[in-house]
């Protein structure tokens, strides 16, 4: 029970990596606030975790929604120990085809959304807390079509350094988690058929030294490490969880 009596906020906690993290956090004793846009997915989360979870519907692009999220935490009389800023948007647009709209779509969710998710949590955060942001190996390696996505996620590594410096008097640790290809609905969202999704999964698996994609639970374990006392001296850095893909 590594998170006994802890309160966590997880954006994008209704699917994939965020959902697996919420599940693990609840199993480790935490009370979890899950924030995402689709109410029907949030309803499933409520059914799954019962009284150990509260859901708030909203969009990280919308500052008023984030105010509502933390307003709910405050009105429940709770403080926040852990923020997992995990909501993300990905698309594949070659440099020659990037438009202001496609550029902004990535930065609004991945870079701006994470900044305000964390900024607005700070008044409610306990000293000694932990912040984890979900980056991607696309921020470390060159992949065609990822101009805006990769650049927007690269901001998170920078945030970890800056915010760890700003929050050091409060002993709040700030880290990024950097997953390799992980088997979540995000893979399906980037293609238009099941056949294409199967192809994408096989291609990812072939590029990873371990010969398979990560399961969301494996990324959740690493997020738990960074969020709990197990990672008590890990600060201002990123943890690569990629099956060796960036190194071999
Ligand atoms: N899967 C991978 O291979 C992989 C690899 C590296 C990094 N990542 C990163 O991991 C994170 C989680 O991805 P995933 O693979 O778990 O994807 P996923 O299964 O599609 O989950 C994404 C979650 O984020 C929520 N979300 C998306 N946009 C949002 C917004 N604007 N405001 C609030 N919530 C939002 C989604 O719910 P709603 O749609 O209902 O809002 C959902 O709960 C992302 O940041 C992604 O970039 C994924």
């Amino acid at each position: 029970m590594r998170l006994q009596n802890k309160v966590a906020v997880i954006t994008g906690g209704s699917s994939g990596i965020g959902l697996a993290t919420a599940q693990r956090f609840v199993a480790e004793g935490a009370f979890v606030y899950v924030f995402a846009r689709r109410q029907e997915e949030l309803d499933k989360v409520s059914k799954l975790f019962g009284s150990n979870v509260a859901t708030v519907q909203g969009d990280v692009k919308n500052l008023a929604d984030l105010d509502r999220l933390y307003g709910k935490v405050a009105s429940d009389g709770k403080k926040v120990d852990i923020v997992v800023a995990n909501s993300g948007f990905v698309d594949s647009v070659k440099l020659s085809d990037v438009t202001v709209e496609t550029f902004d779509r990535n930065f609004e969710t991945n870079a701006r959304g994470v900044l305000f998710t964390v900024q607005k949590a700070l008044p409610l955060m306990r000293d000694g807390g932990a912040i984890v942001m979900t980056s991607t190996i696309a921020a470390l390696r060159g992949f065609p079509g990822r101009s805006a996505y990769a650049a927007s996620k690269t901001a998170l590594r920078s945030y970890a350094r800056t915010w760890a410096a700003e929050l050091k008097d409060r002993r709040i640790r700030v880290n990024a988690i950097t997953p390799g290809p992980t088997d979540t609905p995000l893979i399906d969202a980037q293609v238009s058929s099941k056949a294409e999704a199967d192809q994408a999964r096989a291609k990812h698996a072939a590029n990873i030294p371990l010969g398979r994609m990560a399961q969301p639970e494996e990324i959740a374990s690493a997020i738990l490490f960074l969020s709990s006392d197990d990672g008590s001296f890990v600060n201002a850095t990123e943890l690569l969880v990629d099956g060796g893909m960036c190194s071999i």
Side-chain angles (χ1 to χ4, degrees):
M1 296 294 264
R2 291 175 181 81
L3 301 182
Q4 190 81 58
N5 300 323
K6 302 284 185 191
V7 174
V9 169
I10 305 178
T11 66
S14 61
S15 175
I17 292 168
L19 177 61
T21 304
Q23 190 151 24
R24 188 69 195 272
F25 276 24
V26 167
E28 296 284 348
F31 184 89
V32 179
Y33 287 87
V34 169
F35 179 82
R37 294 167 303 178
R38 286 168 297 161
Q39 186 61 51
E40 65 274 22
E41 298 305 310
L42 292 172
D43 291 343
K44 289 182 200 162
V45 169
S46 302
K47 272 201 189 120
L48 204 61
F49 303 131
S51 60
N52 295 317
V53 79
T55 62
V56 179
Q57 188 278 331
D59 188 326
V60 294
K61 298 196 290 296
N62 186 340
L63 270 55
D65 288 355
L66 290 170
D67 286 335
R68 254 193 318 106
L69 163 65
Y70 294 113
K72 161 86 176 138
V73 178
S75 68
D76 287 349
K78 295 205 192 299
K79 294 277 186 194
V80 176
D81 299 286
I82 301 161
V83 176
V84 181
N86 165 77
S87 294
F89 173 82
V90 57
D91 63 4
S92 195
V93 183
K94 282 195 297 192
L95 173 59
S96 50
D97 299 329
V98 171
T99 63
V100 169
E101 288 71 29
T102 64
F103 182 89
D104 286 351
R105 271 210 301 263
N106 285 275
F107 275 81
E108 277 171 358
T109 300
N110 300 336
R112 197 185 76 192
V114 167
L115 187 144
F116 287 106
T117 297
V118 173
Q119 182 205 63
K120 288 177 178 294
L122 292 179
L124 284 174
M125 270 196 91
R126 283 190 209 280
D127 291 358
I131 295 166
V132 180
M133 302 168 279
T134 312
S135 184
T136 167
I137 59 159
L140 298 178
R141 281 185 58 177
F143 295 101
R146 297 297 202 220
S147 294
Y149 176 64
S152 65
K153 288 286 194 177
T154 304
L156 308 188
R157 177 68 184 88
S158 170
Y159 290 160
R161 293 186 179 111
T162 306
W163 298 346
E166 288 191 12
L167 297 171
K168 71 180 165 63
D169 293 342
R170 296 181 59 187
R171 293 175 291 100
I172 294 175
R173 295 182 298 108
V174 190
N175 293 292
I177 181 107
T178 304
T182 306
D183 196 350
T184 73
L186 197 71
I187 304 298
D188 306 284
Q190 295 173 70
V191 293
S192 46
S193 68
K194 181 174 179 319
E196 281 182 60
D198 290 346
Q199 221 173 9
R201 285 186 166 87
K203 199 171 154 193
H204 284 312
N207 286 331
I208 298 170
L210 287 179
R212 62 176 180 82
M213 297 176 75
Q215 291 304 307
E217 292 75 17
E218 294 176 290
I219 309 302
S221 292
I223 294 175
L224 173 65
F225 168 73
L226 291 175
S227 305
S228 67
D229 284 347
D230 286 353
S232 56
F233 208 60
V234 184
N235 193 20
T237 190
E238 76 183 311
L239 177 57
L240 193 55
V241 189
D242 71 340
M245 187 173 172
C246 283
S247 309
I248 298 172

